[in-house]
Amino acid sequence: MQFTKGHGTGNDFVILPDPDNRLDLTPGLVAALCDRRRGLGGDGVLRVVRAAAHPEGAATAGEAEWFMDYWNADGSFAEMCGNGARVFVRYLVASGLAEPAEGALPVATRAGVVRALVTADAIAVEMARPRLYDTATATLGGLTLPGTAVDVGNPHLVCALPAGLELTALDLTRAPEVDATVFPAGVNVEFTAPGEPVDDTDGHVLMRVYERGSAETLSCGTGACAVAAVALRDAGRDTGVLAVDVPGGRLSVTVTEDSCWLAGPATLVATGTLDPTTLTTP
Ligand SMILES: N[C@@H](CCC[C@H](N)C(=O)O)C(=O)O
């Protein structure tokens, strides 16, 4: 089995090239690949498959040649992964499967087709504008925080920390408790604090995230988009540019009238082969 390992601001992925959808990818195999001690390690898997060859990509095969088949580290599916899409596009270009020079590159996902712009330093992906749709709470270590539910193709709950509580003080080794009636399919939970002003932006937010299916990660692209949309709402604005700092680095989010751009570094670090029969799970 061929693989490449890559990351976007520390949100890391095992990339599996499988153009014709031949791999028998199962939740167990995904979890074993993502195991950080027994496998390659990753927050998720990105299968690179032709849209026409995948049942969930076929409907958009006329718009995008490639389908990002994203899986969380526990073997569950997610509709969308913002950093994953950026790393996926870096892989397509680096491996010669797509040409970046032809303008925005379309990629099919479970949340529809996204478009990417590629430069040497960064990859920006245009996704749907985040939709703020409800309020809910997250409880963590006896602390209950109010938050805003946001749909970025996948579900998010954005909770601001009260003044005086440091983001670094949160214990995210366990999942925050949330209301399952608001989030029947689970949710990614972002905790935020205000950052110092950053040039050429309309705001700066610090964030940590506990991801559905992957636990705490160093970064979450769709989470950064959700956080930016809530920050703009709180500032009485509809659109703007936000710097969102995550433990793994800085993301830039631009919310426009009808879409949302997520930009940041996307890096490939290794390529190799693996015999899946050597993988074991606890
Ligand atoms: N890290 C991703 C989000 C991955 C999916 C998420 N865990 C979910 O289950 O919705 C990102 O960069 O957006």
Side-chain angles (χ1 to χ4, degrees):
M1 175 187 280
Q2 297 285 326
F3 73 87
T4 293
K5 184 80 196 289
H7 74 95
T9 50
N11 197 186
D12 64 337
F13 307 100
V14 175
I15 303 157
L16 300 177
D18 185 24
D20 301 317
N21 197 13
R22 296 232 167 89
L23 273 180
D24 183 20
L25 199 55
T26 61
L29 177 55
V30 167
L33 285 166
C34 290
D35 188 306
R36 295 199 181 276
R37 296 187 185 276
R38 299 174 181 84
L40 294 168
D43 296 324
V45 162
L46 308 170
R47 186 215 306 244
V48 182
V49 56
R50 282 187 204 286
H54 195 283
E56 292 170 281
T60 46
E63 282 178 74
E65 181 177 5
W66 296 100
F67 176 68
M68 178 178 77
D69 181 18
Y70 173 81
W71 302 59
N72 285 318
D74 70 353
S76 60
F77 295 112
E79 305 84 343
M80 183 55 197
C81 177
N83 287 327
R86 297 187 313 97
V87 173
F88 187 92
V89 168
R90 180 67 82 209
Y91 175 82
L92 288 181
V93 171
S95 57
L97 294 175
E99 268 295 329
E102 292 169 4
L105 181 68
V107 171
T109 75
R110 292 190 175 86
V113 175
V114 300
R115 288 183 167 73
L117 290 174
V118 181
T119 63
D121 297 336
I123 293 189
V125 174
E126 185 182 32
M127 301 179 284
R129 187 184 152 95
R131 184 175 62 86
L132 283 53
Y133 65 94
D134 207 343
T135 56
T137 59
T139 300
L140 190 67
L143 177 73
T144 296
L145 297 170
T148 303
V150 186
D151 177 10
V152 191
N154 57 351
H156 294 267
L157 174 62
V158 178
C159 300
L161 290 194
L165 185 59
E166 298 287 325
L167 267 183
T168 50
L170 295 181
D171 177 6
L172 293 184
T173 55
R174 293 168 73 176
E177 289 164 39
V178 296
D179 185 346
T181 57
V182 181
F183 304 108
V187 67
N188 304 285
V189 185
E190 286 82 26
F191 298 94
T192 66
E196 299 295 323
V198 169
D199 285 350
D200 301 325
T201 69
D202 302 304
H204 179 204
V205 187
L206 316 178
M207 147 190 154
R208 281 178 70 192
V209 59
Y210 191 97
E211 285 197 38
R212 176 180 68 167
S214 304
E216 183 179 18
T217 60
L218 294 182
S219 179
C220 177
T222 48
C225 295
V227 161
V230 169
L232 287 169
R233 188 269 322 262
D234 291 347
R237 301 175 60 132
D238 266 355
T239 61
V241 181
L242 273 287
V244 181
D245 283 7
V246 292
R250 176 166 294 174
L251 292 163
S252 171
V253 180
T254 304
V255 181
T256 71
E257 292 292 344
D258 47 21
S259 74
C260 181
W261 285 91
L262 169 73
T267 309
L268 305 178
V269 294
T271 293
T273 57
L274 164 103
D275 175 359
T277 64
T278 62
L279 293 171
T280 55
T281 43

